[in-house]
Amino acid sequence: MNISTTILSTKKLTIAQKELLLNTGISFVEYNAIQIEFLESIVEADIQNAIFTSKNAVRAIINSGMNISNCFCVGENTKRLLEENGKKVIETAQNASNLAEIIIKNYKDDSFLFFCGNLRRNELPDLLNQNNIELKEQIVYKTHQNLKKFDRSFDGILFFSPSGIQSYVEENKMNDSIAFCIGKTTASEARKHTKNIIIANKPTVENVIVQTAKYFK
């Protein structure tokens, strides 16, 4: 590995995540490319089936007092956060499209409430609507861009959401940087700006870091 390798994380990392990087000898810069504003949730107190495609949606409703019987979610970390807060997770998938396919195959007669952000993508609601599955949506958080211009280039950039990419490219160019993406949805946004893309094996921050370390070792 080039000893001067420096990467940019578009999300501030935990101490444990920073140690993963530092143990590889990779230098890094970090900032939050997006900021999350939680909104007050006004929905019925008892919900049979709820869909979560991000941890932010979980955080937004966790203290709302609503009773959710069954949770359907994207990502192991989202599942873990739900279970840590006493929620029952019925199905988990790696991305929204896969979760929609599971619901279409096994739960087509049920109705669902989708807790999401204002920039939620269309894959899941489109697939469910096309298959006549009853779906309501509740926007429980807003995503705001945190624009920052960097007067330097990076060997790699870690991206964790499409909106994080959109925020970064408002003020910066990808140039020759490798885009390390947390999943296929994020990678599809990255492809608008670069061909140099590596996708994590699992949709976790830690796996993005692992892929980065493997590439630059």
Side-chain angles (χ1 to χ4, degrees):
M1 181 182 70
N2 185 336
I3 198 163
S4 63
T5 297
T6 304
I7 60 132
L8 172 70
S9 174
T10 56
K11 178 179 183 177
K12 289 196 173 180
L13 305 173
T14 66
I15 292 172
Q17 290 162 353
K18 289 176 185 178
E19 287 176 351
L20 273 177
L21 269 176
L22 292 171
N23 288 339
T24 68
I26 296 174
S27 301
F28 68 93
V29 175
E30 60 175 354
Y31 84 116
N32 287 324
I34 57 174
Q35 294 176 326
I36 302 301
E37 174 193 358
F38 296 122
L39 306 176
E40 187 175 350
S41 305
I42 305 173
V43 294
E44 58 265 33
D46 295 308
I47 298 158
Q48 184 65 26
N49 300 306
I51 296 173
F52 299 89
T53 56
S54 73
K55 289 192 294 183
N56 286 324
V58 179
R59 293 188 183 108
I61 64 93
I62 216 68
N63 295 316
S64 65
M66 64 183 73
N67 178 44
I68 302 172
S69 299
N70 304 314
C71 295
F72 298 74
C73 71
V74 170
E76 289 298 323
N77 287 338
T78 306
K79 177 184 179 182
R80 188 177 304 116
L81 185 59
L82 283 163
E83 291 180 337
E84 286 172 354
N85 285 277
K87 304 301 182 187
K88 180 182 177 184
V89 178
I90 300 296
E91 298 284 359
T92 310
Q94 284 218 349
N95 58 60
S97 296
N98 289 349
L99 183 61
E101 289 165 5
I102 291 169
I103 291 171
I104 291 162
K105 182 178 179 180
N106 300 314
Y107 304 92
K108 65 180 186 298
D109 296 325
D110 293 333
S111 58
F112 296 84
L113 179 57
F114 180 21
F115 290 107
C116 57
N118 64 313
L119 300 181
R120 72 107 176 98
R121 292 177 66 87
N122 295 327
E123 289 92 342
L124 184 140
D126 283 357
L127 282 167
L128 296 189
N129 288 329
Q130 287 163 17
N131 286 272
N132 299 313
I133 293 172
E134 184 180 343
L135 179 71
K136 294 180 181 178
E137 295 184 31
Q138 173 74 44
I139 295 175
V140 291
Y141 69 93
K142 286 185 177 180
T143 301
H144 301 282
Q145 292 184 346
N146 181 28
L147 302 184
K148 183 177 177 67
K149 183 169 180 60
F150 294 93
D151 296 320
R152 58 165 299 174
S153 59
F154 298 93
D155 298 292
I157 306 174
L158 313 189
F159 291 114
F160 307 99
S161 68
S163 51
I165 296 173
Q166 292 161 3
S167 176
Y168 175 79
V169 300
E170 278 289 324
E171 297 284 346
N172 307 278
K173 294 187 180 300
M174 293 295 297
N175 296 321
D176 295 326
S177 301
I178 308 295
F180 294 91
C181 299
I182 197 165
K184 292 179 181 178
T185 305
T186 302
S188 69
E189 183 67 29
R191 286 192 186 94
K192 298 175 184 178
H193 309 282
T194 181
K195 295 180 180 177
N196 304 322
I197 297 169
I198 293 175
I199 305 174
N201 296 331
K202 295 180 180 179
T204 65
V205 175
E206 288 76 13
N207 196 263
V208 175
I209 293 171
V210 167
Q211 298 308 318
T212 306
K214 282 183 179 177
Y215 181 85
F216 289 117
K217 71 179 180 182

